[in-house]
Amino acid sequence: MIEIARAPGFLTVQDLGWPVGRSWGLPRGGAMDPGALARANLLAGNPAGAAALEWALGTGTVRFHHGTTFALTGAGGEALLDRRPVRPFMTLSAGPATVLELRPGAEERFLYLAFRGGLDIPELLGSRSTYLPAELGGLSGRRLHAGDRIGLLTAAGRPPSDGSHAPAERRDPDAPMRVTRGPQWDGFTDEARRTFLGGEYTVATASDRMGYRLEGPAVPPRAEASLPSEAACPGAIQVPDGGQPIVLMPDGPTVGGYAKLAVVIAADLPRLAQCAPGRVVRFREVTAAEARGAFAAERAALAALEAQLAA
Amino acid sequence: MTARVLPLGEGAWTVTLGERLDAGLHAQVTALAEAVRSAQLPGVLDIVPAYVALTVFFDPLKADAERLRERLASLAAGKLPALPPEAGRLHRIPVRYNGPDLDPVAERTGLPRDEVIARHAAPEYRVYLLGFSPGFAYLGDLDSALVLPRRSAPRARVPAGAVAIAGPQTGIYPAATPGGWHLIGSTEVRPFDPSREPAALFRPGDRVRFEPVP
């Protein structure tokens, strides 16, 4: 069992989200950085999609009631287990009654803490993720706060040995985000499209698990911004009147009536999700084949890590 | 208009059948959704019908994206058996017409309160699509005398079960979420209940009648 002794500003239970549900308005949800959550899980000896903690907005402390294997992924901050520094992207062991203090750095918005066995949270429609807008899933559909205790499921097999590590995903923080054309790409002028692909956009403070607002050169659609509502997806870049793009995130609405200029590729959306407000981002168009190739490469990297840790 | 099939990211195709909403076009969308579902195409995860378009989500590693695109284009171009109007289920929803916006709506439309209620409860509505919140169904078409733009300032929280209108649509809020529609009544019916099978009560193509109760 683990206990949240001190919670950061934004702490929820997440896994890899709901595989189906879009047709009745339930977004995919799940970790903002699914690769980081998956790696934390594999290092903790879990399947990639076990329920873990998604940690954001500040420092906090977790108390281990009994000894267990765990791992955390994230960068640029400090983690102290009974006051001794421990490293991310590594299989770690906590003894009973130990205390883990996390002080995230400014580098990344979301850290993941996975515990051997995975968090013992009831599944809801196939996922243990938390969908806050409708108070569904996770721990009673809400953020975790001080005093919350969660049990861990019983794990099968052997965990990876302590000290096993995973390479942090190679992410170039300054590389443009790759996008493919959206269904309404033709509804924008050449000039608007060039402006978007050449422009610098700042992640606004109004950015959360539903979507990130971007501030920068306007990209107005040719006609009115709204069309009959149709399905959207995480990564979709919506452009309302005014031309300031909004990138949908995992908890974003499943349908919408704004023109979708482009879609951030699945392999790059986690990198955008990890950008704190104030970060400047740029976009680059790629083909569908490149997007699928990057998607496959990430899946292959996770499979390779799983095999390496089992060896 | 010939159907267009365009990508929505690397894991979805959007098939657009038209540009302007009408019930006939929507019937084609739901017929296409049914055809795609029955075809059991490999790798397909979710089929999301909307007003004039259908989006098919798939796992890029389990489906051949281009093959899937061709199948969708060919299904959309082919003769889609129009589902009979009774194909969707009919839901009868008891409503207490006591919403905080009922009188303001009456005033803005220039109709007596009782007539707002009568005109809202008269039609048999069609479920066009689900979205915004799990289980939230967009129902149409609202009597043109009741058409109003959404509230200029949405409420931070509307009650679960609130019956509301905006534009040419009506709907029932499934949960206490923010909401910008005009609240004209309430119902005990829950469009979304995770412990129920199915969790979401309404499906596109279903029909809904509201029945005033005291």
Side-chain angles (χ1 to χ4, degrees):
Chain A
M1 168 162 297
I2 56 139
E3 179 180 337
I4 309 302
R6 224 173 15 103
F10 199 85
L11 184 65
T12 55
V13 173
Q14 300 293 347
D15 60 18
L16 295 175
W18 285 274
V20 295
R22 299 166 190 84
S23 60
W24 23 275
L26 178 64
R28 176 155 182 86
M32 291 287 274
D33 187 345
L37 179 139
R39 283 166 176 78
N41 270 321
L42 293 175
L43 288 163
N46 296 337
L53 296 180
E54 178 174 89
W55 184 293
L57 293 183
T59 64
T61 316
V62 175
R63 188 170 296 130
F64 291 84
H65 282 221
H66 52 75
T68 192
T69 301
F70 73 100
L72 78 116
T73 51
E78 254 199 319
L80 303 167
L81 186 64
D82 279 356
R83 309 242 178 94
R84 275 176 24 251
V86 288
R87 288 168 52 189
F89 291 98
M90 188 171 276
T91 302
L92 301 167
S93 246
T98 50
V99 165
L100 176 71
E101 186 182 356
L102 290 189
R103 301 168 165 277
E107 285 313 300
E108 291 193 332
R109 268 178 103 146
F110 297 96
L111 305 186
Y112 295 88
L113 246 188
F115 307 91
R116 172 106 168 117
L119 297 174
D120 187 2
I121 293 282
E123 254 193 3
L124 187 80
L125 301 165
S127 173
R128 296 183 167 89
S129 290
T130 313
Y131 178 62
L132 292 172
E135 295 173 3
L136 285 178
L139 184 68
S140 311
R142 61 168 175 81
R143 288 181 288 164
L144 273 56
H145 42 242
D148 282 334
R149 294 176 177 196
I150 308 180
L152 304 178
L153 293 167
T154 313
R158 281 179 311 112
S161 34
D162 281 2
S164 301
H165 68 277
E169 293 163 76
R170 241 168 296 117
R171 285 177 180 174
D172 177 355
D174 297 316
M177 304 292 165
R178 290 167 291 179
V179 303
T180 52
R181 297 181 179 188
Q184 285 84 43
W185 173 264
D186 291 339
F188 291 79
T189 60
D190 267 340
E191 193 200 330
R193 302 192 296 232
R194 271 197 310 268
T195 301
F196 175 71
L197 292 175
E200 293 198 332
Y201 290 89
T202 306
V203 176
T205 24
S207 53
D208 60 21
R209 285 187 49 91
M210 293 182 76
Y212 280 21
R213 287 180 185 268
L214 300 177
E215 288 159 356
V219 280
R222 235 188 235 131
E224 268 194 41
S226 79
L227 43 132
S229 285
E230 60 177 34
C233 65
I237 302 173
Q238 293 183 318
V239 186
D241 291 322
Q244 296 294 290
I246 301 171
V247 185
L248 294 186
M249 286 295 171
D251 283 355
T254 54
V255 298
Y258 289 136
K260 293 176 287 295
L261 169 65
V263 184
V264 177
I265 73 171
D268 282 358
L269 189 62
R271 185 158 59 91
L272 178 58
Q274 291 284 16
C275 289
R279 270 290 292 278
V280 174
V281 297
R282 288 173 300 124
F283 299 93
R284 172 169 84 83
E285 186 190 345
V286 297
T287 62
E290 280 184 74
R292 287 196 268 274
F295 184 91
E298 164 62 4
R299 285 267 186 97
L302 284 175
L305 175 61
E306 192 168 4
Q308 171 207 316
L309 293 174
Chain B
M1 171 188 164
T2 330
R4 301 181 70 198
V5 185
L6 293 170
L8 177 68
E10 63 282 290
W13 291 112
T14 291
V15 185
T16 306
L17 298 186
E19 260 144 37
R20 274 188 0 261
L21 167 62
D22 75 50
L25 193 53
H26 184 254
Q28 288 179 50
V29 172
T30 46
L32 179 60
E34 180 53 32
V36 174
R37 201 196 57 76
S38 324
Q40 307 224 7
L41 304 169
V44 170
L45 295 170
D46 255 328
I47 300 168
V48 184
Y51 289 111
V52 305
L54 178 77
T55 300
V56 179
F57 288 85
F58 61 93
D59 182 334
L61 300 184
K62 297 212 171 104
D64 178 330
E66 289 306 318
R67 277 277 302 276
L68 178 59
R69 184 192 183 287
E70 280 162 30
R71 288 298 308 273
L72 294 176
S74 113
L75 283 170
K79 197 104 182 78
L80 293 168
L83 298 171
E86 317 81 62
R89 294 159 306 160
L90 173 64
H91 304 268
R92 293 182 190 281
I93 308 291
V95 180
R96 223 167 268 113
Y97 280 95
N98 59 1
D101 296 326
L102 183 54
D103 285 332
V105 166
E107 199 179 310
R108 282 178 69 177
T109 57
L111 298 170
R113 185 187 159 102
D114 282 348
E115 202 176 329
V116 171
I117 294 172
R119 285 178 181 257
H120 182 261
E124 183 173 281
Y125 294 98
R126 183 184 183 85
V127 177
Y128 278 101
L129 77 166
L130 271 63
F132 161 73
S133 181
F136 182 87
Y138 289 84
L139 309 176
D141 301 326
L142 192 65
D143 186 314
S144 56
L146 298 181
V147 172
L148 292 169
R150 307 156 58 105
R151 286 168 59 91
S152 48
R155 287 186 169 86
R157 202 173 168 87
V158 302
V163 175
I165 64 172
Q169 299 165 327
T170 183
I172 305 166
Y173 282 104
T177 58
W181 291 21
H182 306 276
L183 308 183
I184 60 173
S186 62
T187 179
E188 308 278 311
V189 172
R190 289 292 172 266
F192 186 74
D193 178 353
S195 62
R196 177 181 59 206
E197 173 54 44
L201 186 61
F202 302 118
R203 284 200 286 267
D206 280 356
R207 294 156 296 130
V208 177
R209 298 200 79 106
F210 293 102
E211 299 178 339
V213 295

